[in-house]
Amino acid sequence: MKQATIIKSTGSWYLLKDKITSTIYEARIRGKFKKEKISTTNPLAVGDEVDYELHEDGVAWITTIHPRKNYIIRKSVNLSKSTHILASNIDLACIIFTIKNPQTSLGFLNRLLITCEAYHIPVLIVINKIDLLINEEDLKEIKEVTHIYKKIGYDILEISANKNINIDILKNLLKNKVSLFLGHSGSGKSSTINALQPDLDLKTSVISNSNDKGKHTTTFAQMYDWSFGGSIIDIPGIKEFELVEISKEELQNFFPEIYKFRSWCKFHNCLHLNEPNCAVIKAVDEDEISERRYSNYLKILKDL
């Protein structure tokens, strides 16, 4: 049986790359495989390792999917299914965060971080468009965001894809890894990929002045090889990101700073709402835990 990696998914057709020869084939799923009970909109995702058979017409038929080491999953917009897997087998998730044009909310950032924590995916927070931060309010915000997330333990890199600021540093961090860029439409995912490797020439678009939102320039998830080693999974920009497969009781496990203090709470099942002798609430009061992160924890807890 031949083995390959899924490098593009359009929903019904796939592109796969043979593990040994690097030959690329158009592929489809065997009927019996496609009909297996599955709760996601997509039975296969970019990054999946599969077995396939090659037919005389040159089309590959996928017969088996190998176990995933991790994946990024979100609530699907398709009401007939519950979830959608964005990508799998990721070595590094780069969350593209922007203070302006468009503004990325900390709630959006936190939900992405929670999912990465839940599925054991290393994270790099990439603050893009730093060349646009010229007023005092913007500079204060970026300083606070950087302080909050570095204190928790996340790696952060400030870049400008358009001005080529710190792109070489980012390149070294991505070298020989399978990376995924996550962020709002218009946050500069495609521009950053083009800055890292101009010959890919991915389509980019300008931000709408009316609503400060970007347009989807990536239509389907696709994996590209870096010339400097490794590969990048480019996915469509995300407007909203809702959590799935995470319970209220589990949520605190994916906030590293809350997890750190939870063992000191009086009650083992403390949710850190208003319980007596809650070590997490005390840590918030003493500025050991960010008030903004804690407030977002409470909001997400309510949403769950």
Side-chain angles (χ1 to χ4, degrees):
M1 191 68 67
K2 299 175 182 292
Q3 294 186 0
T5 302
I6 302 294
I7 63 169
K8 185 176 183 179
S9 168
T10 64
S12 57
W13 281 87
Y14 302 88
L15 285 183
L16 54 80
K17 182 177 180 180
D18 187 273
K19 298 282 286 184
I20 296 176
T21 66
S22 296
T23 306
I24 295 174
Y25 299 103
E26 287 189 332
R28 302 202 78 168
I29 301 174
R30 275 259 184 247
K32 62 179 182 180
F33 176 56
K34 192 172 184 179
K35 291 177 182 177
E36 287 178 3
K37 186 176 180 181
I38 190 164
S39 61
T40 60
T41 56
N42 54 330
L44 289 172
V46 172
D48 279 341
E49 305 290 337
V50 298
D51 294 335
Y52 73 96
E53 297 173 350
L54 189 61
H55 283 208
E56 293 179 358
D57 59 4
V59 175
W61 287 89
I62 299 166
T63 59
T64 309
I65 177 174
H66 293 202
R68 297 168 172 134
K69 73 174 183 180
N70 59 39
Y71 53 89
I72 287 282
I73 191 169
R74 64 178 290 192
K75 188 173 181 180
S76 175
V77 295
N78 183 341
L79 298 179
S80 67
K81 302 285 186 177
S82 61
T83 59
H84 180 78
I85 297 175
L86 298 177
S88 69
N89 299 320
I90 304 153
D91 296 324
L92 182 67
C94 296
I95 301 176
I96 310 297
F97 182 92
T98 46
I99 299 293
K100 62 192 303 183
N101 197 32
Q103 180 184 16
T104 305
S105 71
L106 292 191
F108 179 80
L109 172 61
N110 289 334
R111 289 191 293 275
L112 290 175
L113 290 173
I114 290 165
T115 299
C116 289
E117 291 282 349
Y119 294 96
H120 309 289
I121 302 171
V123 170
L124 173 66
I125 300 174
V126 179
I127 302 179
N128 192 19
K129 304 187 181 183
I130 60 169
D131 56 302
L132 301 181
L133 308 181
I134 55 176
N135 64 51
E136 187 174 335
E137 185 178 341
D138 292 338
L139 294 172
K140 181 180 178 181
E141 176 66 6
I142 194 173
K143 184 177 181 181
E144 183 175 348
V145 168
T146 301
H147 173 74
I148 289 171
Y149 290 94
K150 278 190 174 180
K151 184 177 180 180
I152 299 168
Y154 290 110
D155 293 326
I156 296 179
L157 179 65
E158 298 177 13
I159 72 164
S160 170
N162 289 336
K163 300 296 183 181
N164 208 40
I165 299 173
N166 290 337
I167 294 301
D168 284 342
I169 296 175
L170 179 58
K171 185 179 292 186
N172 286 331
L173 294 172
L174 300 177
K175 187 176 181 180
N176 298 328
K177 293 183 174 72
V178 176
S179 304
L180 171 70
F181 282 11
L182 294 162
H184 282 314
S185 300
S187 62
K189 299 190 312 310
S190 295
S191 296
T192 302
I193 293 172
N194 287 337
L196 289 159
Q197 189 163 321
D199 61 2
L200 288 178
D201 195 25
L202 301 189
K203 185 188 292 184
T204 61
S205 68
V206 296
I207 302 296
S208 167
N209 291 327
S210 61
N211 59 13
D212 194 36
K213 298 293 184 182
K215 299 176 182 178
H216 292 311
T217 53
T218 301
T219 307
F220 302 108
Q222 184 163 357
M223 179 185 289
Y224 301 94
D225 288 335
W226 295 124
S227 59
F228 51 85
S231 55
I232 176 68
I233 300 174
D234 185 32
I235 65 171
I238 303 168
K239 290 185 178 179
E240 300 294 336
F241 190 89
E242 294 190 44
L243 301 176
V244 293
E245 299 184 349
I246 294 175
S247 68
K248 286 187 174 183
E249 293 73 23
E250 291 175 317
L251 180 62
Q252 59 186 299
N253 298 337
F254 310 126
F255 279 76
E257 69 275 44
I258 292 177
Y259 185 81
K260 175 183 174 182
F261 285 96
R262 61 174 290 190
S263 60
W264 299 99
C265 293
K266 180 177 181 180
F267 300 104
H268 74 277
N269 59 347
C270 185
L271 290 179
H272 324 299
L273 297 170
N274 50 21
E275 300 90 337
N277 296 323
C278 173
V280 170
I281 294 175
K282 182 182 178 183
V284 175
D285 292 339
E286 295 177 353
D287 203 29
E288 292 292 329
I289 293 177
S290 160
E291 171 68 36
R292 293 175 71 175
R293 281 271 289 180
Y294 175 68
S295 295
N296 195 240
Y297 163 78
L298 295 180
K299 182 181 185 306
I300 295 172
L301 193 67
K302 183 179 179 181
D303 291 342
L304 290 177

